[in-house]
Amino acid sequence: MTAKIKNPTLDWLSDPQVFQINRLPAHADFAFYQNQAEFQSKKTSLKQSLNGTWKVHVAQNLSTAPLNFYKNDFNDSGFSYVKVPGQLELQGFNHPKYVNTQYPWDGHEQLVPPAIPQKFNPVASYVKRFELKDNLKNKKVFLSFQGVQTAFYVWLNGHFVGYSEDSFTPSEFDISDYLLSGTNHLAVAVFKYSSASWLEDQDMIRLSGIFRDVYLYAVPATYIKDLHYQPVLNADFAEGNVSVTAEVENKNEQTKFCFELFAPDKHKVLEQTLSDKELAQAVFKVAHPKLWSAEEPNLYNAVLSIFNQENLVEITSTQIGFRRFEKKNGIMLLNGKRIVFKGIDRHEFDYRFGHSVTKEDMIFDVKFMKQHNINAVRTSHYPNHPFWYKLCDQYGIYMIDEVNLETHGCWLQIDALGKSWNIPGDHPEWLPAIIDRDNSMFQRDKNHPAILIWSLGNESYTGKDLVASANWFHQHDQSRLVHYEGFFRGGANQKYSDMDTHMYWKPQDIINQLEKHTDRPFIQCEYMHSMGNSTGGMKLDTELADKYPNYQGAFIWDFIDQGLLTTDPRGQKCISYGGDWTDRPSDYEFCGDGILLADRTTSPKAAEVKQDYSNIKIRIDQDGFTIKNKNLFINTANLIFTAKVLKDGKLLKERDFNLVVEPGKSLQQSLPWSTGTQPGEYVAEVAAKLKNDTLWAPKNYEICFAQKLIKSINKPAAQKSKLNLVNGSTNIGVSGEHFSLQLSKAKGGLSSYKYDGQEYISEIPKSSYWRALTNNDDGYNGGFELGMWSIAGKYQKLIDSDIAQTETTVTMSFKYQLALPEKVFNTITYTVTQDGAVTVTLSYPGHKNLPNIPAIGVDFKLPLQFNHYEFYGLGPDENYSDRNNGVKLGIFKGNAQANFTPYLVPQEAGNHGATRWLKVYDNNGRGLKFTALNKPFEQSVLRYSEYEIQNAFHHYELSQPYCTRVRILAKQMGVGGDDSWGAPVHAQYQIKADSPITLTFKFQGFSDSH
């Protein structure tokens, strides 16, 4: 045993080869109990939590830190109070900082690895006083820190205990020699920056402090220090073998072990008592084991107990799973079947508590993933809270477990230093720290069946140190594969990653790679950069899994927006992001990439993910429907298929089917879609729903759906009657029984529309060619590329007007020249009939030498009270031409406020495609109905104009709403999602300016009485 170091030094902070002092060896995370009663109740008396209120002093750097605070006679009455676990910056100590690739000290101090900041390197001096619980007395006691950012020293009762780095894996120390029978004085000095900070340059909000649990645990005289279960399956998966490696302290010839294995249904599969020697050589056989997968997460409970002279000393409990993950002929297989990862990258984050996530957060997250057909998660970019792994085991989520390593800022330098100081690279002084991080993650997590792949870290380029890391994992674990995207980015050493792995490739680039390299599996560890209004074109990627066997899925970036709950300048609660906390440098809202908003509200992007990721695919034709079951292991007996016929969005007929489709098979169900002969639009819909309650969703929860328009019968044209017309010198007045309107010759458009005495027009409707830029638009300089369209409609000039009249209609057209460098005109025509309906036609002729158009349509400004809407179109979530697979054609209601998705930065939101009609109304049931003619339109009902949204960087910058904005669009381009720094929307979802475009619709007033 190595002698303990008793005298700490601050030199360790900047020495990359010192990353732990007196720390205990890493070990597996398993439950332990001292008797059967505890085992049955799953509550151990051998642990003592130190969570709660601690005292703390936070200094800006060492020069003002109380260096003697650890001494027993130190007066800490002036210290503040802080919650542990918790982040210091979220409890009033300094400010959060968000940077992506750059290091947080950039521009403040010129540093070269492994130097650390001197001017600003906060030192948090924590103090906790506690008395040891009786059950822990007279035993060996360990102190466990589950997560501390970033480096820390520990003292107990004035004695130096140890030092540790690596923020996201446990650090444990033996404190038995320093405990007192009365009050104990625990002191911890946490440094925000150390040499380890060069290894932790992840794209996340940078916080510090003791952010995970702290506890004591005691062990009996003879105890299990570490456990490694290795379930193995034979070739046909009909038999399983379990071997166990147990590291036991203070064992002797009298020590016996009892191994028990409990099946998923809790019944005992086997029980065997063995000596230490027998245990080391034992292989426990299980006939016909139930296999673990995300589809059927069957878990066995392995129980290993220690007996000394027939006396029970300790019981340990570990959940394990029988599964085989391997690579054969360039394909990754789970239990013999080709696997496709329908994955997501997840930062551990809570908008109130930072990286100090709660168990409630984690349970919500795993249920959300299952509900949205996500089957895999990458722990980006560090080992997660231990409870998360248990949930993934239990609920069934495949895991890529990632080492806490990212040095992004080292190899993306833009100055003369370049890659010459890229770390870890080929620098031998960093290798021990890398291997230590590998070992800490591996030892803690090695028993979890959910983990299929070890990842060496993220965006740390490549070099000999990463090669050594890959070799280390290959040597220590034959049951999993190894992943590292940086090998491919660096252009060398690809052989050390078991899969071809990339980020943010365009679909065609992926196809080129797949056709060139058919000998190795391909995944994208990051794709669909879901920043703001994004995740468009996802299907272009997901459908590749059906065409190319070695395309085995991808992981969306990412799970949740990183924003923090705070107050705006008016004192109202709001979500803040980088740059809002006086943090400079900052990468601002670039951490807003989630399919969940920061407060865990589901964003509209999630509907697309759910539909595209579903393993159940439904296709409807005129004769019925076909179900394809893309699950690998389970049939559809747990589902009910509900078939509907809807007429104009309303349910006409409905029927349930119990259809059992075996995994990998298809089934065709004949069904005559009886519709009727009445005018209208008939749509067939089939949805797959849960037959029973599950761990993650209730009975009748919808998994996926399909729809198809099967018949459309036009209504006969209505008879028209005469109109009243007043042809004034400046205004044209038209009126009928319930309405009146005015068309302004001078202003060029509809200046008034009254129905039952209510005025609806607050401003003459104008054609518009613009939308508020999304994050993706900004990312590829869309404002520069497309900016002329922002003023094209806004500053268009009236050129001419014309009026025509028949006995039953009045038509007036207005010709405008658009504010463009080319001479381009558009025309808006209004045709009025006696019933008060106004048909609007916008004609754009098309013109060469112009950039693509963001959107084209007509904008209406209505009085504020008309803020409710109902429509027949795609919903209920907002949708776009490249993100509409997860929405249905139906009738949906809402209001202008809720329709505006609160992305971190205000941007285009609230659009709904394929709309047949839209009603906008007030609390009294009065309003306007917009009806599509010739073909459906896209539309939104919001409180703000595109220009107001464009000019706001925060939601509190938007003014108090004073009107309702209605947009009726012929088209809007997609939102994109390949990345947010250079990828435009895919060509098929853009709007070419050289083609003529026509939009035709009508609107008419209505009220409850008419």
Side-chain angles (χ1 to χ4, degrees), residues 640-644 654-659 687 689 700:
I640 290 177
F641 295 90
T642 300
K644 299 178 180 179
E654 181 176 2
R655 180 179 170 187
D656 286 341
F657 293 85
N658 288 290
L659 302 173
K689 300 182 294 184
N700 290 323

Side-chain angles (χ1 to χ4, degrees), residues 694-764:
T694 68
L695 194 60
W696 46 269
K699 177 182 178 180
N700 290 323
Y701 178 80
E702 186 174 288
I703 302 298
C704 65
F705 70 92
Q707 286 185 321
K708 184 177 178 66
L709 176 63
I710 54 174
K711 185 187 289 187
S712 183
I713 303 174
N714 294 328
K715 296 177 181 178
Q719 294 291 322
K720 296 178 181 178
S721 56
K722 293 184 178 181
L723 278 167
N724 299 317
L725 172 66
V726 177
N727 194 342
S729 60
T730 303
N731 296 288
I732 302 296
V734 183
S735 61
E737 184 177 357
H738 296 289
F739 80 98
S740 66
L741 63 82
Q742 289 201 348
L743 295 157
S744 172
K745 300 177 184 178
K747 296 296 183 179
L750 181 70
S751 58
S752 172
Y753 180 87
K754 290 183 178 179
Y755 193 88
D756 279 350
Q758 171 65 50
E759 176 64 74
Y760 287 95
I761 302 301
S762 299
E763 187 176 276
I764 290 178

Side-chain angles (χ1 to χ4, degrees), residues 677-904:
T677 58
Q678 293 298 312
E681 188 175 65
Y682 294 86
V683 171
E685 176 182 312
V686 180
K689 300 182 294 184
L690 290 177
K691 186 179 293 185
N692 301 297
D693 291 344
T694 68
L695 194 60
W696 46 269
K699 177 182 178 180
N700 290 323
Y701 178 80
E702 186 174 288
I703 302 298
C704 65
F705 70 92
Q707 286 185 321
K708 184 177 178 66
L709 176 63
I710 54 174
K711 185 187 289 187
S712 183
I713 303 174
N714 294 328
K715 296 177 181 178
Q719 294 291 322
K720 296 178 181 178
S721 56
K722 293 184 178 181
L723 278 167
N724 299 317
L725 172 66
V726 177
N727 194 342
S729 60
T730 303
N731 296 288
I732 302 296
V734 183
S735 61
E737 184 177 357
H738 296 289
F739 80 98
S740 66
L741 63 82
Q742 289 201 348
L743 295 157
S744 172
K745 300 177 184 178
K747 296 296 183 179
L750 181 70
S751 58
S752 172
Y753 180 87
K754 290 183 178 179
Y755 193 88
D756 279 350
Q758 171 65 50
E759 176 64 74
Y760 287 95
I761 302 301
S762 299
E763 187 176 276
I764 290 178
K766 291 286 183 71
S767 61
S768 176
Y769 296 82
W770 186 244
R771 75 169 183 203
L773 293 176
T774 67
N775 286 124
N776 290 342
D777 295 338
D778 273 330
Y780 76 91
N781 290 317
F784 180 84
E785 296 286 336
L786 311 176
M788 65 178 66
W789 291 110
S790 70
I791 62 171
K794 185 177 177 63
Y795 299 113
Q796 59 188 297
K797 180 174 66 173
L798 180 65
I799 300 298
D800 194 12
S801 62
D802 183 63
I803 185 170
Q805 183 180 9
T806 70
E807 285 190 355
T808 57
T809 64
V810 173
T811 299
M812 190 166 188
S813 63
F814 301 90
K815 182 179 181 180
Y816 291 87
Q817 182 177 351
L818 299 177
L820 290 169
E822 304 282 338
K823 209 165 191 179
V824 184
F825 302 92
N826 73 177
T827 302
I828 296 184
T829 300
Y830 299 93
T831 299
V832 188
T833 54
Q834 178 63 32
D835 57 357
V838 180
T839 297
V840 183
T841 301
L842 167 65
S843 299
Y844 166 80
H847 199 282
K848 296 181 179 179
N849 305 318
L850 291 173
N852 292 335
I853 303 172
I856 177 169
V858 180
D859 288 350
F860 289 81
K861 179 181 175 183
L862 307 185
L864 180 63
Q865 68 264 31
F866 298 99
N867 64 342
H868 302 284
Y869 65 78
E870 181 179 10
F871 68 90
Y872 176 35
L874 292 178
D877 294 303
E878 70 176 26
N879 52 87
Y880 297 83
S881 59
D882 61 351
R883 201 187 77 213
N884 58 18
N885 293 310
V887 288
K888 291 182 178 180
L889 180 62
I891 297 174
F892 305 99
K893 293 183 178 182
N895 62 70
Q897 179 177 356
N899 194 38
F900 188 46
T901 306
Y903 299 113
L904 276 185

